[in-house]
Amino acid sequence: MHTDTELTRLTAQLEALIRQTGEFIRREFEHFSFSKVNYKDINDPVSYVDVSAENMLMEGCNKLLPGSGFINEEGGEIRSENGFTWIIDPLDGTTNFTHGVPHFSISVALSEGDEVKLGYVYHVMLDEMYMAARGAGAFLNGRPIRASGLEKLKTSLVVTGFPYHRKAWLDLHLRILGDLVDRSQGVRRLGSAALDLAYVACGRLEGYFEFGLSPWDLAAGALLVQEAGGTVSDFEGGDNYLFGKQILATNGHIHVELLELIQKRILPGQ
Ligand code: 2AM
Ligand code: CA
């Protein structure tokens, strides 16, 4: 991607590809049956819909930038030959999808080297296309979005997800929740990390934190929050949130307050 014209062409084609994949997911959602669910792990469901959507996205993204690498939820990792890597979650919120809850998304990010340059999160059932390009802002269906202006945790709505893999993370998470229910306006658990981040970016929610997630859940949404004027960090306030298994994203104003609340509960060695 060397010129603005090339970038404009790429983003238009990418958006069309994501919408087309979204149409497929929406159609399948209407008649999906729980008997078609397989389990990668005890609480990690997958269906032919996840796999087919990922194949559609991979094929399309590879045509857009031949020789690209991939880091995908269902397909594993392919090394980049051209410096670009796609980071894709074809269906974020699979548990919602399989239970008939209409809150799930497609998440597609494009990185050049180590830096995420483009991010798309598509709320399939609401037809909301969230898009961010580094240095150029964040948008919802083409309109600029900003993170919320609320300044205090006390009046903030915070979203999270429960940790899956480690008992120590779950214990810690529950201790943090105990504090947060008391010190915020409310806590939500919606089931798609990519949409949690998109909602922080557009000002519906003030903060989001979670343990144990992967780059495909977070890459596009984290760029959305940053480009909407919010702040994203790990639980030490550093930058290792994509691969570091801990993420805090806020409107910026409540970042320190929420970070301190989390840190207070993290015991040495956890
Ligand atoms: P998924 O639907 O693509 O699996 C909700 O807290 C977030 O956690 C979602 O983004 C969801 O992504 C992810 N998630 C669900 N089950 C998971 C598991 N077993 N391990 C890791 N992440 C999971
Ligand atoms: Ca996911």
Side-chain angles (χ1 to χ4, degrees):
M1 257 183 307
H2 300 294
T3 64
D4 284 355
T5 323
E6 279 173 319
L7 182 63
T8 307
R9 188 181 54 85
L10 179 99
T11 52
Q13 292 179 344
L14 183 54
E15 188 169 322
L17 172 67
I18 293 169
R19 284 189 185 282
Q20 194 188 341
T21 310
E23 251 169 61
F24 161 74
I25 294 175
R26 228 171 3 245
R27 265 199 320 272
E28 297 306 313
F29 182 69
E30 301 304 335
H31 59 83
F32 189 79
S33 137
F34 209 84
S35 63
K36 295 171 187 157
V37 177
N38 296 311
Y39 285 86
K40 290 186 278 187
D41 200 347
I42 187 160
N43 49 14
D44 205 352
V46 64
S47 72
Y48 69 93
V49 182
D50 303 58
V51 176
S52 305
E54 182 163 299
N55 288 339
M56 289 169 76
L57 291 165
M58 263 188 90
E59 215 177 291
C61 289
N62 203 39
K63 271 194 200 137
L64 288 179
L65 288 173
S68 298
F70 285 90
I71 301 177
N72 294 347
E73 165 134 35
E74 309 306 335
E77 213 166 317
I78 296 174
R79 278 176 67 92
S80 175
E81 292 163 13
N82 61 8
F84 292 103
T85 300
W86 299 95
I87 307 172
I88 298 177
D89 190 338
L91 181 40
D92 187 52
T94 300
T95 302
N96 280 346
F97 178 90
T98 60
H99 284 261
V101 177
H103 184 84
F104 42 82
S105 61
I106 297 170
S107 176
V108 177
L110 178 65
S111 68
E112 187 174 9
D114 288 340
E115 190 168 63
V116 177
K117 297 282 196 187
L118 270 183
Y120 283 81
V121 175
Y122 182 52
H123 191 314
V124 175
M125 300 308 286
L126 290 185
D127 189 27
E128 288 183 339
M129 182 69 74
Y130 296 84
M131 182 272 187
R134 189 165 298 278
F139 305 86
L140 166 52
N141 289 341
R143 297 210 178 125
I145 49 175
R146 297 297 294 168
S148 117
L150 291 188
E151 292 187 350
K152 293 281 170 226
L153 187 55
K154 193 67 203 155
T155 49
S156 292
L157 195 53
V158 178
V159 67
T160 186
F162 300 118
Y164 299 92
H165 299 298
R166 284 199 212 161
K167 175 83 170 64
W169 281 344
L170 183 60
D171 291 344
L172 173 55
H173 192 264
L174 293 176
R175 291 199 297 270
I176 293 168
L177 272 187
D179 293 345
L180 200 52
V181 167
D182 195 36
R183 292 197 31 208
S184 67
Q185 174 84 78
V187 182
R188 297 289 180 266
R189 201 289 187 216
L190 303 176
S192 162
L195 284 177
D196 293 344
L197 287 159
Y199 280 17
V200 172
C202 73
R204 290 176 188 163
L205 303 169
E206 278 65 48
Y208 160 71
F209 73 98
E210 192 156 348
F211 289 87
L213 292 192
S214 302
W216 49 78
D217 304 305
L218 308 170
L223 182 63
L224 278 165
V225 172
Q226 290 168 333
E227 286 297 323
T231 304
V232 185
S233 76
D234 56 34
F235 294 162
E236 288 173 1
D239 284 339
N240 189 23
Y241 53 83
L242 266 196
F243 292 87
K245 303 281 178 197
Q246 34 173 268
I247 183 165
L248 170 64
T250 70
N251 64 357
H253 303 292
I254 65 161
H255 205 83
V256 170
E257 213 181 340
L258 192 46
L259 186 60
E260 282 174 0
L261 183 147
I262 292 169
Q263 286 176 340
K264 210 179 79 193
R265 289 297 189 177
I266 298 183
L267 307 171
Q270 280 186 324

